[in-house]
Amino acid sequence: MTKEERALEVIRRLKEEYPDAGCTLDYNEAWKLLVSVRLAAQCTDARVNVVVEELYKKYPDVDALAAADMEDIERIVRPCGLGKSKARDISACMKILKEEYNGQVPGDFQALLKLPGVGRKSANLIMGDVFGKPAIVTDTHCIRLVNRIGLVDQIKEPKKVEMALWKIIPPEEGSDFCHRLVYHGRDVCTARTQPHCDRCCLADVCDRVGV
């Protein structure tokens, strides 16, 4: 089975297993996803979803958050870890959105990468979820699973994994595929325990069963 064939079969099976999988960060506006994805670095999405409730209640739009005292942002987001750097990036990012983009999140990948605290993973997530564009989100679940399954060959650097997956994942499938990997990585192909290969829908097409 070629990598391309395996990729298509993995996509098909994950669709059946997780038909409604989507982003696990709660948001109803693009700028909120931008904030949440920055807070999610080295923090669980579940905790981020709780923390941002207070943040958005106090600062309900881009203008309000751009004008907020950075120390107050840090106080609110501290439970997510790295409070000072995350607060700094969020504050700077909202100021740029207000001053350069009329309060809107840009729909251009390179423009997103220029925003404070936004890397390729975050930019891809926003391009896929907000703008419906092709995206490959190489988070820790994605990197772990595609290596185990055999879609990439022991590549751990996020950008290199992304580039390898672009070659075998149909562009229109990339965003949802990565969301489904998150669900599968949390429930079955876990990181901190042995993967549960006995109940994995991919067991017979996985290149590294039990690893």
Side-chain angles (χ1 to χ4, degrees), residues 43-58:
C43 181
T44 66
D45 289 359
R47 175 169 291 184
V48 171
N49 289 338
V50 172
V51 168
V52 293
E53 289 183 11
E54 180 183 353
L55 186 68
Y56 300 154
K57 184 175 181 179
K58 189 166 186 180

Side-chain angles (χ1 to χ4, degrees), residues 3 6 10 139-156 161 165 177 181-198 200 202-211:
K3 283 185 171 59
R6 179 174 289 166
V10 169
D139 65 3
T140 56
H141 292 292
C142 173
I143 294 169
R144 182 176 74 257
L145 268 64
V146 297
N147 273 282
R148 281 180 176 172
I149 294 166
L151 297 182
V152 303
D153 298 316
Q154 294 303 302
I155 306 172
K156 299 300 172 67
V161 173
L165 290 178
F177 169 67
L181 288 177
V182 171
Y183 280 71
H184 197 63
R186 288 176 178 174
D187 296 340
V188 179
C189 198
T190 51
R192 296 185 179 181
T193 65
Q194 278 291 100
H196 303 288
C197 301
D198 57 314
C200 178
L202 306 174
D204 62 318
V205 295
C206 180
D207 203 30
R208 297 176 175 85
V209 173
V211 176

Side-chain angles (χ1 to χ4, degrees), residues 1-180:
M1 181 180 285
T2 66
K3 283 185 171 59
E4 291 82 356
E5 292 169 338
R6 179 174 289 166
L8 292 176
E9 183 61 18
V10 169
I11 288 169
R12 184 187 69 79
R13 294 190 189 189
L14 290 179
K15 277 184 180 180
E16 291 182 355
E17 194 78 6
Y18 311 99
D20 301 318
C23 183
T24 52
L25 291 167
D26 295 337
Y27 71 98
N28 56 10
E29 296 180 74
W31 69 271
K32 291 182 178 179
L33 180 57
L34 193 59
V35 170
S36 289
V37 76
R38 179 66 186 98
L39 293 177
Q42 299 183 41
C43 181
T44 66
D45 289 359
R47 175 169 291 184
V48 171
N49 289 338
V50 172
V51 168
V52 293
E53 289 183 11
E54 180 183 353
L55 186 68
Y56 300 154
K57 184 175 181 179
K58 189 166 186 180
Y59 304 109
D61 53 40
V62 170
D63 286 359
L65 194 50
D69 183 85
M70 195 163 65
E71 291 184 356
D72 193 46
I73 299 175
E74 182 185 350
R75 176 189 64 79
I76 296 171
V77 305
R78 189 175 294 121
C80 294
L82 305 174
K84 188 176 293 293
S85 63
K86 289 180 179 181
R88 182 183 64 241
D89 287 342
I90 289 169
S91 177
C93 194
M94 294 302 108
K95 285 180 169 66
I96 291 172
L97 293 189
K98 177 183 178 181
E99 294 166 5
E100 299 183 22
Y101 296 103
N102 197 32
Q104 302 300 307
V105 175
D108 176 77
F109 189 79
Q110 295 303 321
L112 287 170
L113 288 180
K114 293 178 182 178
L115 295 175
V118 177
R120 295 188 67 86
K121 180 181 75 172
S122 301
N124 269 297
L125 179 65
I126 291 164
M127 290 300 291
D129 277 50
V130 173
F131 299 106
K133 299 294 178 64
I136 296 285
V137 182
T138 51
D139 65 3
T140 56
H141 292 292
C142 173
I143 294 169
R144 182 176 74 257
L145 268 64
V146 297
N147 273 282
R148 281 180 176 172
I149 294 166
L151 297 182
V152 303
D153 298 316
Q154 294 303 302
I155 306 172
K156 299 300 172 67
E157 185 182 322
K159 184 177 180 180
K160 289 182 179 178
V161 173
E162 179 192 336
M163 295 301 109
L165 290 178
W166 278 121
K167 297 176 182 178
I168 60 173
I169 303 295
E172 68 277 8
E173 299 284 0
S175 182
D176 288 341
F177 169 67
C178 292
H179 285 320
R180 292 185 174 104

